[in-house]
Amino acid sequence: MTAAAALGSWADKPARHILEYLERVCDTESPDFVQPEERIAVFDNDGTLWCERPGYVQAAFVIDELRERVAESATLAEQPVVQSLLAGDLASALEQGGLGAVAEVLLDSHAGLAAEAFTARVQGWLSTASHPRFGARYTDLVYQPMLELLDLLRAHDFRLFIVTGGGVEFTRALSEEAYGIRRDDVIGSAVELTFQRDDTGVHIVRTATLLGSPNEGEPKPINIQMHIGRRPILAAGNTAGDREMLEYTAGNPHASLCLVIDHDDDVREYAYAGTSATNPNAEPILDTATRHGWTVVSMRDDWTTIFPDTLNG
Amino acid sequence: MTAAAALGSWADKPARHILEYLERVCDTESPDFVQPEERIAVFDNDGTLWCERPGYVQAAFVIDELRERVAESATLAEQPVVQSLLAGDLASALEQGGLGAVAEVLLDSHAGLAAEAFTARVQGWLSTASHPRFGARYTDLVYQPMLELLDLLRAHDFRLFIVTGGGVEFTRALSEEAYGIRRDDVIGSAVELTFQRDDTGVHIVRTATLLGSPNEGEPKPINIQMHIGRRPILAAGNTAGDREMLEYTAGNPHASLCLVIDHDDDVREYAYAGTSATNPNAEPILDTATRHGWTVVSMRDDWTTIFPDTLNG
C-alpha cells in the first residue's frame, strides 16, 4: 500500500499535508531529517482518538460502578451528592457538595482495589456497555482516520503515546485493543497508589486521592517530560486543555506537526467547541491554532469516514 | 548464535537457569507460556547494570557541578555544608546541615535548567569524567554479562525497563548509549518540573524540590505500576532497596525470575553487602533472596568477565 492510500479516510489536502511532513522528517536526504528515537508523537484521547460525547466514557463507567456500590450500601444511597450523580445531574451534585465531595464519591468507588482488579473491572464494563446514541461498544467509537494516522506513523518509526486528562489506568485498560498503543505508553491523570504486603504476597492498591493535578493544560507537557524524557515532534488534540502540549511540541527545534481536531459534524458525530475541561476561561483551541498556524482538521470536511467500517456495516 | 552462546560471560549453571526460564515462558507449547506484552523485565541500575563504587556516579557528577558553581559564587563557597561536600566528607555535611540541607544544596545546582539543558550537562560530563580506580569512562563500566542478558531478553520479545533510585533524567541521559534502553523506559527519582512560557516559547524547567519519595523500596513497585501498568515477570537488583520490586515480581501469577547480584569480587570490582541506601535496618538482600529462593548471581564465580572487552583490551 502506498503512503497516500494509508490515509484512505482523509481528504486529499490534509493527507498531502501529513505525507509531506513525514517525508521532511523521515527522508535521510532531507535537511529536516529527524532520527527515529526523536520521533515522538503524542495524542490526546477523549475527542481526539475516540468519541467523548455526550459525556466522557470514563464518567459513564464510574457512574455505573457507583450504581453497583449503592445497591450494596444504604448509607451511600442516602447521600444527596450520590443521588444527584446517579440521576445524571452533575450540576446539582456540584451544588450540594462542591467539586471535592463529588471527586471523593467517584474516586472512592475504586479505592482499595489492586491495580490488576481495577483493570479487570474496566475491561468487563467495556465489553458490555454501549453508547447511548450509536448503540456500539465504546471501543468501536474510535476515529478511523486517526487509526490510519497511528499506523502510518508506526510505519515511519514514530513512538506513539497517549497523553490524556482521563485516568491513566482506565485508558490503559483499552489502549492496546483499541489503538495498539502499549500500556506503558499511556500518560494520564492518576490516583496515589500504596504498597501492601499480606499473606498472599505484595499488592499495589488504589487510594481515593488524586496524585497531583489532573493531566490537563500545563501538566500535559510536564508529564510528557516526566514520562518520556523528550519533547515530541507531533501532537494532536481537540480542546484548550491540549494547548500547552501543542505549544511544547511546536517549540521543538526539529520540524513539528500540530493537529487540532475540530468537532464540526453533528450529523455523523457531534458539533461542539474545544473548550477546556478544567479552565472555562481558556482561549478556544481553534483560535490558538489559527494564531500559531497549526493544522485544523475538520471532521465534516476532512474525514470521509468517522468510525471503522465494522461499525457502519 | 545459539541462546547459550548469547550468555558468553556467564558460568554454565546460571546461564542454564536463565535459558530454562526463557524456554518456559516463551515457548508457545509450554504450560507457563507468557504473551509478549506481559514480558516485562525491570532492572535496578547502580550496582546491577553498572558499577556503583566507590560512590554513585550521579554523586560524582553533582559534586563536580557544585564545584563549578562554587567557583562563581563566594556566598555558596562559604557554606560549611558545601565545603564538606567538596572535600568529599559527606558525614560532616550531614552533621552540619542534616539530610534536608545537603539535598537542597545538591538539587539546587540544577534548579532553573530546562530539561534538555540538564541532559546536555550530564552527557558532557559523562564524555570526560573517569572512574577513580579503573580510569575508564563511567559508561564503559557497565556489566558485560548484564548487557548480554538484556540482548537475550530483547531477542525473546521482552520489554526492558530501568527502575533506579538514581535521578530519572540523569539515567536517561545515558540509558540509550549504555544499554540500548529507551529514555521513556527509565523510571527513577525525580524533581518537580514547572511549565514556563517566555518570548522564546515554552519550556519544562527543573526545580530543587524532590517529587515524592526517592525511588527506593516500596516506591519502586508503586512507580512500576504508575509508569508501566503491568507487574513484571523478571527483575534484577542488588540491594535491600530492590526488595519490594523483587517481591512484586515474584508475586506475578506468571512464572517469574528474580536475580540478585552479589558483589563478592574485590579483585575485579568491589565486595560489599547489598544494604539499602535509605533504610540501614532493612534485611540484607541476600537473606531475603535465600528465604524466597531467588537466584543469587556471584560476580566472582558466575561472571567470567565483568566489564566489556573494550575496557579490558
Side-chain angles (χ1 to χ4, degrees), chain A residues 86 102 133 146 211 250 283 299 306:
Chain A
L86 292 187
V102 170
R133 173 176 157 194
M146 295 305 280
L211 180 73
E283 179 184 52
M299 289 180 74
I306 304 285

Side-chain angles (χ1 to χ4, degrees), chain A residues 54-83:
Chain A
Y56 294 123
V57 181
Q58 187 171 359
F61 165 67
V62 176
I63 295 293
D64 278 357
E65 293 280 286
L66 182 59
R67 192 167 285 121
E68 281 196 24
R69 289 193 64 226
V70 161
E72 293 157 8
S73 159
T75 327
L76 197 64
E78 280 163 13
Q79 294 181 30
V81 167
V82 172
Q83 289 174 357

Side-chain angles (χ1 to χ4, degrees), chain A residues 156-197:
Chain A
H156 284 78
D157 294 326
F158 272 71
R159 300 174 182 184
L160 311 182
F161 295 85
I162 293 174
V163 183
T164 175
V168 62
E169 300 288 11
F170 178 83
T171 310
R172 279 173 176 161
L174 60 97
S175 68
E176 294 182 344
E177 186 203 340
Y179 310 118
I181 291 182
R182 293 163 46 155
R183 281 195 207 171
D184 51 293
D185 293 342
V186 177
I187 303 167
S189 301
V191 295
E192 288 184 11
L193 302 175
T194 58
F195 177 88
Q196 292 182 13
R197 189 187 275 122

Side-chain angles (χ1 to χ4, degrees), chain B residues 268-287:
Chain B
R268 296 183 302 171
E269 204 234 15
Y270 294 92
Y272 57 96
T275 47
S276 160
T278 52
N279 176 9
N281 299 320
E283 179 184 52
I285 193 64
L286 291 182
D287 295 353

Side-chain angles (χ1 to χ4, degrees), chain B residues 22-76:
Chain B
L22 291 180
E23 210 173 296
R24 273 179 73 194
V25 296
C26 300
D27 179 351
T28 50
E29 306 288 304
S30 160
D32 293 329
F33 176 73
V34 177
Q35 294 291 345
E37 65 267 26
E38 300 275 356
R39 294 180 203 160
I40 306 290
V42 290
F43 293 84
D44 171 55
N45 185 38
D46 294 308
T48 297
L49 293 179
W50 76 352
C51 181
E52 64 176 344
R53 288 291 167 111
Y56 294 124
V57 180
Q58 186 171 359
F61 165 68
V62 175
I63 296 293
D64 278 358
E65 293 280 286
L66 182 60
R67 192 168 285 120
E68 280 196 25
R69 289 194 62 225
V70 161
E72 295 156 6
S73 159
T75 328
L76 197 64

